[in-house]
Amino acid sequence: MLDELQETVGRLAAEAGPAVVSIGRNGRGTGFVIGTDRVLTSAHNLRDRTVAVTFAGGRAEQGAVHGDDHDGDLVVLDVPTGDAPALTLADLGADAPPAVGTAVVALSRGGHRPRATVGFVSGADRAFRGPRGRVVHGAVEHTAPLARGSSGGPVLDADGRVVGVNTHRVGDGFYLARVSDPALRARVDELLAGRSVRRRLLGVAVAPPEVAERLRRAVGLDDERPGLLVRAVDEDGPAGAAGVSEGDLLVAVRDTPLTSVDDLAAALDAVDGDTVELTVVRGADERTVTVSFAAPDPASDED
């Protein structure tokens, strides 16, 4: 068994290792070649729109953002990949993540040091927060040890398929990786095409329901309906243009109750179209406003 494991890890490191790169001058992260002149990595590895990318042979190039999804913690870089091979995300179905107990090999180049570690999938259906605080679903937990600077690297199964992209440590000896499911592959295809992902935003700062309830009771409003208290409004943003004001309580997007800030983000992500109805409580009065996310038509502006 040990001989077979040694052979498998050595083979995967030799075949896929040349595609793995370090991100940042000091190797603060890892990425891998996903196509000609394209490198996939975690968005949190970036500090700017450009970044140093160092390849297996020590060649360093300056990469630039080609497409990014910061909320999903993914970015594709435009960088000369030379003769470095490209890895392909495995074609896993939506309901077929690596099962608990699956052996995996994680490759990384944190600090410019190549590493190959082995572990097992220890949990499925995990979630984490992206760089901007949004919840990202569709991750597995595994036990392949990762040193600092490993996020963005590939996770391989015993057949050498890229079944996930490492994100970060979640505890002593446990790590998360986004699974190569249809949602991840579709998102990476968008980034490869140069289309950056921008989530809908209302243009408000909100307090969670427990804070909203306490503050409303402090001013004599005993309505126990959960909601998000608006603490600040961008007057030029979608909510401000719809008439939402500081002190309003956001209680629903369409028919979806807002019991947490994550509910608001998920409801906005699910909006199909340029408008959405928002249920707002002002004082003791409830009303519905229509929020538009469509960009204003410059031709309609008057001097």
Side-chain angles (χ1 to χ4, degrees):
M1 290 180 61
L2 290 178
D3 288 343
E4 183 178 346
L5 177 62
Q6 176 178 300
E7 189 278 330
T8 298
V9 175
R11 173 176 52 83
L12 296 181
E15 293 176 353
V20 180
V21 302
S22 61
I23 303 295
R25 186 177 60 182
N26 298 317
R28 62 174 170 265
T30 295
F32 59 96
V33 178
I34 194 73
T36 301
D37 296 339
R38 299 290 182 262
V39 164
L40 177 67
T41 187
S42 297
H44 72 256
N45 289 332
L46 270 62
R47 301 292 183 270
D48 206 340
R49 299 290 294 180
T50 61
V51 65
V53 179
T54 305
F55 292 83
R59 176 174 60 92
E61 300 282 357
Q62 195 70 11
V65 171
H66 183 70
D68 68 89
D69 175 13
H70 272 76
D71 287 317
D73 202 17
L74 294 170
V75 65
V76 167
L77 301 173
D78 181 350
V79 58
T81 53
D83 59 0
L87 302 183
T88 301
L89 295 174
D91 186 12
L92 301 181
D95 300 321
V100 172
T102 300
V104 292
V105 174
L107 301 182
S108 64
R109 201 171 288 275
H112 306 312
R113 295 183 177 90
R115 291 183 175 88
T117 58
V118 65
F120 298 91
V121 173
S122 52
D125 194 23
R126 298 294 193 258
F128 64 95
R129 292 192 182 275
R132 295 175 178 170
R134 289 218 184 192
V135 174
V136 180
H137 297 279
V140 293
E141 178 188 280
H142 67 82
T143 61
L146 297 176
R148 186 182 299 274
S150 298
S151 60
V155 179
L156 313 177
D157 65 9
D159 295 322
R161 303 184 303 165
V162 180
V163 296
V165 180
N166 278 316
T167 59
H168 56 268
R169 182 181 290 105
V170 292
D172 293 337
F174 297 97
Y175 307 85
L176 292 183
R178 288 199 64 174
V179 174
S180 178
D181 57 14
L184 177 64
R185 296 196 306 276
R187 183 53 43 81
V188 171
D189 284 344
E190 286 186 80
L191 303 183
L192 285 169
R195 295 192 295 270
S196 294
V197 178
R198 299 291 179 265
R199 262 72 170 186
R200 291 184 176 89
L201 299 173
L202 289 177
V204 297
V206 297
E210 57 272 19
V211 176
E213 181 180 357
R214 185 173 67 250
L215 293 178
R216 282 174 60 82
R217 285 182 174 176
V219 295
L221 297 170
D222 295 328
D223 183 7
E224 296 183 358
R225 186 173 184 182
L228 308 176
L229 185 68
V230 177
R231 304 299 298 272
V233 180
D234 176 1
E235 297 299 334
D236 297 324
V244 174
S245 299
E246 181 179 347
D248 286 349
L249 188 70
L250 310 182
V251 296
V253 173
R254 289 182 176 165
D255 296 325
T256 302
L258 300 179
T259 60
S260 70
V261 177
D262 292 337
D263 287 345
L264 177 59
L268 293 178
D269 286 345
V271 171
D272 182 15
D274 291 331
T275 62
V276 66
E277 289 187 343
L278 186 65
T279 304
V280 178
V281 174
R282 180 171 297 171
D285 300 324
E286 181 178 305
R287 63 193 184 109
T288 300
V289 299
T290 299
V291 176
S292 174
F293 299 101
D297 183 0
S300 66
D301 293 342
E302 298 182 0
D303 295 333

